[in-house]
Amino acid sequence: MTSPFPQSYPSTRLRRLRQSAWVRNLSSENHLTPDDLIWSMVVHDGDEPTIPVGSMPGLFRLNVDEAAKAARRASDLGIPAIAIFPHINPERKDDAGSEALNPDGLVPTVIKAMKDAAPDVGIICDVALDPFTAHGHDGVIDADGYVLNDQTVDLLRRQAVMQAEAGADIVAPSDMMDGRVGAIRDALESAGKVNTMIMSYAAKYASGFYGPYRDAIGSASALKGDKKTYQQNPANSDEALREVAMDIDEGADLVMVKPGLPYLDIIRRVSDTFAVPTIAFQVSGEYAQIKAAGERGWIDEERVMMETLLCFKRAGACGVITYFAEAAAQILNE
C-alpha cells in the first residue's frame, strides 16, 4: 500500500520536531487545560467534614460545607464543572430509591450550597437510583431482580426535574434505561427548565472498573447480581453508536463514554460520527490503578495521570470527568 504521505530519510527526520521542549510544544496536536476537566466528587450527608474512601487513595467523601469549599477551589483553579455523586445514610435507602426524589435531601442541598459558593462553576448531577436503592441497582426491580425500564424512567424524569429546580446546570442520566433521555427532556420542558442541559451516559459499559466507586457511594455491599441487562456489552462498538444516536435524537446536549481509557476507540468513533460534545469518564477503577501503582513506586503517578488525561483529548473527547481534576488543574496552573 502506498503511503499518502511519501517521506524518505534523510530529507525527512521526524526527530527534528522532538529535539527541544519549545518545538515539541509548538507542534503538539493536542493540549490539556483546566477547561477540559470536570471534577468527579463524592458527597455525603453526615456531619464529618471528610471521610476517606479506602479503595480510592487520596479520595474523600465531602460533607455539604466541604463540598461548597471545594466548589470555590474549582473556581479558583479554572475547573469549569463538578459532577457530584451522593453517599447517603443506608437507613434512607429502600427498594424504590425514594430518597432520590426528596427535595430536601442531600443532592438538592449540596447543589444549592455549591452554587451559592461558586455560581460560575457548573454543577452536574447523576440521574440514577443506585445510590438510593437498598439493592444497589439503577432502577426499580421485579421479583426476579430484573430492572423494570418504564417504571424506572418515570422516577428518573421526576428526579431530574427536582435536581434542575435545585439549581443543577446539567442532569446526567447514568441508568441506561431505554427512552429516559426523551422522557427527561419532555419533563424539563414541561417544568420550564428549558435551559437545563442533559449529558447522557450514552455509551456506558458493564465494566469491572466501577468497583471502587461503589465503595465510595456505599452500594457495593448492597448490589445484588450485576448490571449486564442494562449496561452495554464490552464486546460491542456499533451498539454504542446506536445508543448515542438515540440519545441525541431524544434531546441530549452532550454524550459520554464510560469507562474512559479502555474505550478510547469508542470515544473516537462517537466524536467522529456525531460531532457533538463528547465527554470521557475516567472512572474509579482507572483512578485506583494509577494511585495504587504510584504509591508503590511502580509508575510516576503525576506523569501517568497527565498522560491519560491528554489521551482522552487525543481520542476526541472535549472534556474528562475525573477524580484527578483538582490535582491536574494545580499542575496545569503552575
Side-chain angles (χ1 to χ4, degrees):
M1 181 177 179
T2 303
S3 170
F5 306 108
Q7 300 175 86
S8 61
Y9 173 87
S11 59
T12 299
R13 293 178 183 263
L14 294 176
R15 290 183 58 191
R16 292 189 191 113
L17 295 176
R18 303 173 193 153
Q19 61 184 300
S20 300
W22 69 266
V23 73
R24 290 193 297 271
N25 292 336
L26 182 67
S27 59
S28 179
E29 298 173 32
N30 294 281
H31 298 273
L32 185 70
T33 76
D35 285 331
D36 300 315
L37 306 174
I38 299 171
W39 188 347
S40 183
M41 185 180 297
V42 181
V43 297
H44 75 96
D45 56 2
D47 294 328
E48 194 168 351
T50 61
I51 300 174
V53 178
S55 56
M56 300 182 70
L59 184 80
F60 297 85
R61 301 183 193 119
L62 308 181
N63 72 2
V64 173
D65 290 341
E66 290 299 315
K69 294 176 185 176
R72 286 192 288 270
R73 295 200 302 277
S75 178
D76 292 341
L77 288 166
I79 297 172
I82 297 172
I84 57 174
F85 302 93
H87 177 286
I88 69 166
N89 187 327
E91 295 179 359
R92 295 191 174 95
K93 297 185 179 186
D94 59 27
D95 284 348
S98 304
E99 183 65 17
L101 305 180
N102 181 2
D104 298 315
L106 171 61
V107 171
T109 299
V110 79
I111 293 171
K112 294 170 185 174
M114 295 172 81
K115 293 303 290 185
D116 286 345
D120 59 321
V121 175
I123 300 299
I124 303 170
C125 284
D126 228 33
V127 182
L129 301 183
D130 53 323
F132 306 97
T133 56
H135 47 70
H137 279 286
D138 293 49
V140 180
I141 60 175
D142 64 14
D144 297 321
Y146 185 80
V147 176
L148 301 170
N149 193 93
D150 296 358
Q151 293 91 325
T152 297
V153 169
D154 182 60
L155 296 175
L156 297 175
R157 65 177 183 81
R158 293 162 59 192
Q159 182 186 20
V161 170
M162 184 268 292
Q163 293 173 349
E165 289 176 340
D169 300 287
I170 297 178
V171 294
S174 65
D175 55 285
M176 290 299 288
M177 298 298 112
D178 292 330
R180 88 274 202 216
V181 172
I184 290 170
R185 176 55 69 203
D186 289 345
L188 291 171
E189 293 287 324
S190 297
K193 295 297 180 182
V194 298
N195 290 324
T196 301
M197 293 167 276
I198 297 176
M199 178 171 65
S200 73
Y201 285 64
K204 181 178 180 180
Y205 285 85
S207 171
F209 281 89
Y210 304 146
Y213 167 77
R214 291 172 184 159
D215 289 339
I217 67 164
S219 68
S221 59
L223 182 61
K224 298 176 175 63
D226 57 45
K227 302 189 177 185
K228 294 179 181 179
T229 64
Y230 48 101
Q231 294 177 354
Q232 279 187 245
N233 183 348
N236 294 349
S237 176
D238 291 345
E239 182 185 27
L241 301 187
R242 296 179 65 194
E243 288 278 8
V244 172
M246 288 180 64
D247 285 359
I248 294 171
D249 186 59
E250 291 178 17
D253 302 287
L254 310 93
V255 297
M256 183 202 299
V257 176
K258 180 182 181 183
L261 207 61
Y263 295 88
L264 293 179
D265 60 319
I266 307 301
I267 296 170
R268 172 51 63 192
R269 290 196 71 186
V270 169
S271 178
D272 286 350
T273 301
F274 298 102
V276 298
T278 303
I279 307 297
F281 198 142
Q282 186 178 45
V283 300
S284 60
E286 298 172 64
Y287 170 91
Q289 286 180 322
I290 294 171
K291 293 294 290 188
E295 285 184 346
R296 287 161 177 77
W298 297 340
I299 60 171
D300 180 331
E301 179 184 318
E302 181 178 303
R303 180 178 177 182
V304 171
M305 171 184 72
M306 301 304 288
E307 180 180 343
T308 57
L309 294 172
L310 185 61
C311 286
F312 295 124
K313 292 296 301 294
R314 190 192 66 232
C318 68
V320 185
I321 301 176
T322 176
Y323 299 94
F324 286 122
E326 184 178 25
Q330 289 170 343
I331 294 168
L332 293 168
N333 280 310
E334 289 177 353

